[in-house]
Amino acid sequence: QVQLVESGGGSVQPGGSLTLSCTASTYINNLAMGWFRQTPGKEREGVAVIDRTDRISVADAVLGRFRPYKDNLKKTLYLQMNNLKPDDTAMYYCAAVRRDDPPFRLLGDPDVFDNWGQGTQVTVAS
């Protein structure tokens, strides 16, 4: 089991930027890790996934604006979010799994992930 702790959420105006962090209790070299988000009444949706070889898959809704990256030595996954929009308002969750599926497949299947953080809220409003 891997403990994951997110941070970096907050309130920002449209067009602004935030960087989320997710620190793991173990080294993340052999893990696929992802960012998912959820709003009340909606299903959890994939935002970005990065696998252990640094292959990346990003959701169409955030393509060109969001970028996942990680620092294996710091056991930390990041999500750089630029040009934020009100539709990006959600609870953002970090997840990890020890699998080698292609990132695009993991992005669309949050149930595959067996380790989750508690979430960090991102609010985009004027």
Side-chain angles (χ1 to χ4, degrees):
Q1 197 74 7
V2 181
Q3 278 72 51
L4 302 169
V5 179
E6 301 99 333
S7 61
S11 296
V12 63
Q13 292 187 341
S17 298
L18 283 174
T19 299
L20 305 183
S21 300
C22 170
T23 301
S25 59
T26 65
Y27 284 103
I28 60 176
N29 308 56
N30 293 319
L31 300 176
M33 300 191 72
W35 288 100
F36 296 82
R37 66 186 183 185
Q38 190 170 24
T39 55
K42 293 188 177 181
E43 293 186 354
R44 193 168 294 189
E45 65 172 351
V47 176
V49 168
I50 181 168
D51 74 2
R52 64 184 183 88
T53 65
D54 290 343
R55 294 182 302 173
I56 291 171
S57 185
V58 179
D60 289 344
V62 304
L63 190 62
R65 301 187 296 120
F66 290 12
R67 181 178 69 91
Y69 61 100
K70 58 182 180 175
D71 186 325
N72 290 327
L73 288 179
K74 292 184 178 180
K75 307 175 188 177
T76 301
L77 170 72
Y78 301 92
L79 183 68
Q80 175 66 45
M81 305 187 294
N82 298 322
N83 191 20
L84 282 159
K85 303 176 180 180
D87 283 350
D88 296 320
T89 296
M91 183 71 78
Y92 283 73
Y93 297 91
C94 170
V97 66
R98 201 179 302 275
R99 290 176 66 128
D100 288 329
D101 302 55
F104 76 89
R105 195 165 294 162
L106 294 173
L107 186 68
D109 193 1
D111 290 339
V112 169
F113 290 82
D114 53 6
N115 299 279
W116 290 87
Q118 81 289 350
T120 185
Q121 178 67 36
V122 172
T123 301
V124 185
S126 301

